[in-house]
Amino acid sequence: MIQFDHVSKTFPDGTRAVDDFSLTIPSRQTTVFVGSSGCGKTTILRMINRMVDPTGGSIHIDDDDIATLNPVTLRRRIGYVMQNSGLLPHRTVIDNVATVPMLTGVKKSAAHAAALDLLDTVGLDRALADRYPAQLSGGQQQRVGVARGLAIDPNILLMDEPFGAVDPIVRRELQQELLRIQSKLAKTIVFVTHDIDEAFLLGDNVVILRPGGHIVQAGSADEIISAPADDFVADFVGANDGKRDLTVRERNGRRVAVDPSGRIAGVLRAEQPSDA
Amino acid sequence: MSLFADAFAWLFDAANWAGPNGIPIRTLEHLLYTLVTLVAAGVVGVTLGLYIGHTGKLRGAAVIVTGSLRALPTLGLLFLFALWLGIGLTPVIIVLAILAVPPLLAGTYSGIEAIERSTVDAARAMGMTEWQILAKVEIPLAMPLIVSGLRSAALQVIATATIAAYLPLGGLGRFVFDNLSLRRWDAVIGGAIVVTVLALIVDGLFALLERSVVSRGVRAARSRDGSAAQPARKSVAADAA
């Protein structure tokens, strides 16, 4: 559990990026911060591993006030995945993934063996282990970034627009991969994006932010789409412009749902008791 | 016109290759001064450059100071230090080091500044200490520019170390300065040729070193950019044909 209590951040140039932000992020779920650029979402994310220190309020991870923890030790407990992979260009894929474990004293052979397993986890061919980042595609680099974030088997994984710079097809693949990994590992993931569809797809909890880190609405995708808190949210999630409206039509004796552009979104069925 | 012929005759005269005043000993002295200077200037210039590059502090001051250091007249400075510290190797090394520090300093901090900010940011976010960021990320990636600074420092020091002969110490400058007043042009030009050849050889060696310190990963990035550009050119050619 990560708890923000009345957290604010004023940068030295006077910009108030985050103003009185309070939120409890539950463990072992994915929480997504979504908002347009400048809403403070990245700043809030980076406060969790003390890449940014708040100028007011406090942040607790479980029972620890993180202001009392050594930043380096804290960061080694928290996975971090960023937009442009941030891989070390002079190190091979396997060395990149093994970097943090080796900093904490894990033997090279053990760290490399674990790193190879992680390449499997993120769906990368082990044959790529000895390549350099520049020899990989953007999507492959992001997978290495995720593997590196998971290398220390952290409880918390911070992801700062990790799929923002890859093309839409690869992005969809990576999103599905993340859902698969999360269903297996159940980490506390804090994810930042400006893409509301990505937020709804990945987030157990979605937090919509306005500039200054003000929470406009927080809840599950269901809750937000079915009951937007105000016009800002309704606009943001596309509930006002009919983007999410589906109409039911009869086609060849079956009832289908049709999206606003006239494409068929799916077939309607009566609800059935689930197997699980 | 026979000046150069005389100079080469001087160069190939076996008598000039023997004894404590011979070309080999003078060359060794010259290289020794250069080496001592580069080590001293390296300690100062690279250390300061790493500090400036890593912290981003003092950068403005460094630009001004290195600019004005480069403008100082070396010979005047040599006499000043010789009067102050007495005749000896120390004033020579100080004066040469003043020449060598600016390129080393500039090479080091610009090498670090050229690293993508996101790479350093990621290293810090992963939990590297500042020293680890410096040792494992910034220095390896800045190495080609550091060596390039070392290369231009070495070239300048070798060319200028001739002034040690003014004090009068050893080095290849002795051939030039001792024989100037005697109007023995063959030795003056011969000595100058040896200095030039030595500078070119050392410069070539540093050029090789410079290439060898580029990390394989960074080289892969460069060749990838190259190969990515190639098909584009081909398709343009295909369209034209």
Side-chain angles (χ1 to χ4, degrees), chain A residues 9 18 28 46 55-56 69 135 144 188 205 215 224 251 263-264 269-270:
Chain A
K9 174 65 187 180
V18 178
R28 303 197 162 271
R46 286 164 69 87
T55 45
L69 302 177
Q135 297 167 318
V144 178
T188 305
N205 319 291
I215 298 175
I224 294 173
R251 291 276 165 89
R263 288 198 195 84
I264 292 177
R269 290 170 195 256

Side-chain angles (χ1 to χ4, degrees), chain B residues 51-53 55-66 106 109-110 113:
Chain B
Y51 175 81
I52 294 167
T55 62
K57 288 176 191 159
L58 294 181
R59 189 180 189 282
V63 172
I64 294 168
V65 171
T66 55
Y109 75 63
S110 53
E113 280 174 359

Side-chain angles (χ1 to χ4, degrees), chain A residues 91-98 112 115-117 119-120 124-133 135-136 144:
Chain A
R91 293 198 176 179
T92 57
V93 165
I94 188 134
D95 281 329
N96 263 288
V97 176
H112 274 198
L116 283 174
D117 287 341
L119 294 187
D120 299 341
L124 272 180
D125 191 340
R126 285 181 178 220
L128 299 178
D130 293 325
R131 299 269 185 95
Y132 286 95
Q135 297 167 318
L136 305 181
V144 178

Side-chain angles (χ1 to χ4, degrees), chain A residues 45 79 81 146 157-163 178 189-192:
Chain A
L45 181 88
V81 185
V146 174
L157 185 62
L158 306 179
M159 307 186 82
D160 187 4
E161 303 208 31
F163 310 141
L178 182 64
I189 297 181
V190 186
F191 192 106
V192 159

